Amino acid sequence: MHSHAIPAGGDLLLLFLASLFGSAHCVGMCGPYVALCAARISPVGPSAGVRVLLRLLFNGGRLAAYVAVGLLAGGLGQIALAAGDRAGLRGAVSLAAGLAAFLFGLVLLGRARDPAVLLRKSGFDALIRDGARSAFRAPPYVAAALLGSLQGAFPCALVYGAASRAAAAGSAGAGAATMLVFGLGTVPAIFAMSTISPGLLARLPVRRWAGALIGMVGLLLILRGLASFGIVPHAIFW
């Protein structure tokens, strides 16, 4: 069965916009961790140039973490696609990834319970906070990059929705590129966190916008999978 690739101008644009809107809410909701990071990447004493450099390093660490997630998700997806090809079930990967992305979209819309809560209950987020406290004691430039990479690994429905799309990208490299697009959309909110109150960011009505966009990405993936099975016709967006 032949599977059309989803154009980068379609679902990846939606993914970028979802991260752009959703990251503002996530920054506002991360509470103590955001306060810890803000104190480290925007200290009072250094010059404006040093503060900008620290924020760039912080974002570089976050992007590296997202790219690593994309490499893993894309690589696993590539294996699943190969297995699906042999079984004549290539569309199953798109269907599974689409359903996952759609679920995380519902989570962001407040219509479903966040599966990431299981990781939080297991103590995964506490492990990250412990790592952050250790990173805080590192030299400033190293600390900024480490804190960023740790935030990139924090349990988050928005990140998991993006990772679902990365799993359907077709390869580890394409998955990494997908998560890089996602990560770039989060940069403006992270820069804003040192000048805008996290509480104000949390009150911005952007979480639902992000949920709707992630849900649309999931819907496109589902349609792509259905088209691979011949259930619906292929179209320009899938």
Side-chain angles (χ1 to χ4, degrees), residues 102-189:
F102 192 79
L103 170 63
F104 287 117
L106 291 177
V107 169
L108 292 167
L109 286 167
R111 302 294 183 181
R113 186 171 181 176
D114 189 355
V117 72
L118 297 176
L119 284 176
R120 299 190 187 103
K121 286 183 177 179
S122 71
F124 184 70
D125 59 336
L127 182 65
I128 291 178
R129 288 192 179 95
D130 288 342
R133 282 191 284 270
S134 297
F136 193 84
R137 293 190 291 270
Y141 298 117
V142 176
L146 289 176
L147 288 168
S149 63
L150 285 168
Q151 192 191 34
F154 208 85
C156 174
L158 186 63
V159 175
Y160 296 156
S164 300
R165 172 59 182 91
S171 69
T178 298
M179 290 303 293
L180 178 60
V181 169
F182 168 82
L184 290 173
T186 68
V187 170

Side-chain angles (χ1 to χ4, degrees), residues 14 23-24 32 41 44 47-48 56 62 74 90-91 95 102 106 124 131 136 150-151 153 159 171 183 191 213 227:
L14 294 176
S23 58
I41 69 174
V44 176
S47 65
L56 287 173
R62 290 175 52 258
R90 183 178 179 85
L95 280 174
F102 192 79
L106 291 177
F124 184 70
F136 193 84
L150 285 168
Q151 192 191 34
V159 175
S171 69
F191 263 86
L213 290 164

Side-chain angles (χ1 to χ4, degrees), residues 60-76:
R62 290 175 52 258
L63 292 176
Y66 291 143
V67 167
V69 169
L71 280 169
L72 177 60
L76 293 174

